[in-house]
Amino acid sequence: GEGFERSFWKEVKDKNWKELDKHIAANYVLVTPAGRLDRAAALRRWTTYEVDDYTLSDFQVELNAQTLVVTYTAMLRGKVGEHALPSRPIRMMSVWQQQKTGWVIIAHTSIDPPKK
């Protein structure tokens, strides 16, 4: 699971949308503070990310049959559209599922802690 997340963020940073697209399920859901996004809307959102650098840590991976739940902490540097990414750790969770075509991400969410 950790490797899937590291690959996911590498593709976002490198703007390798074609490769990223292969690993996103047809029923993918992205939950953001602004609400729920389906696959098409989520892909459009990911393409607005300008990730200069990132650090992923504190991984916990739970396997249940053909499903992995991956939680971790991310430090992202860059921006989304015109807005800077938070300069503090963000807790994230992704759900990956093994399908006939391989492992795909079916859901992702993040929790941006309140400013102190």
Side-chain angles (χ1 to χ4, degrees):
E2 179 177 340
F4 296 146
E5 288 301 312
R6 291 191 184 282
S7 293
F8 182 93
W9 283 105
K10 181 180 181 332
E11 302 304 345
V12 171
K13 181 179 184 287
D14 294 346
K15 298 184 174 292
N16 191 350
W17 309 125
K18 188 174 181 179
E19 188 62 29
L20 187 69
D21 183 68
K22 293 178 192 177
H23 301 287
I24 298 179
N27 62 340
Y28 177 76
V29 174
L30 173 63
V31 178
T32 72
R36 179 189 188 278
L37 301 175
D38 65 12
R39 184 183 197 280
L43 283 169
R44 283 191 302 273
R45 179 170 172 85
W46 287 123
T47 63
T48 67
Y49 274 60
E50 296 282 339
V51 178
D52 298 326
D53 195 19
Y54 62 92
T55 304
L56 309 178
S57 62
D58 304 323
F59 281 90
Q60 292 184 323
V61 180
E62 299 292 330
L63 175 64
N64 184 346
Q66 277 72 38
T67 304
L68 289 169
V69 177
V70 184
T71 59
Y72 58 99
T73 301
M75 284 289 300
L76 305 173
R77 286 167 288 290
K79 61 184 181 174
V80 178
E82 299 299 317
H83 304 285
L85 288 162
S87 59
R88 56 196 175 279
I90 302 169
R91 291 296 299 163
M92 298 198 175
M93 181 183 76
S94 295
V95 180
W96 291 82
Q97 187 176 68
Q98 189 173 28
Q99 298 182 355
K100 290 179 184 178
T101 59
W103 286 91
V104 294
I105 189 170
I106 61 172
H108 179 83
T109 191
S110 60
I111 301 170
D112 183 14
K115 296 177 183 176
K116 293 184 180 183

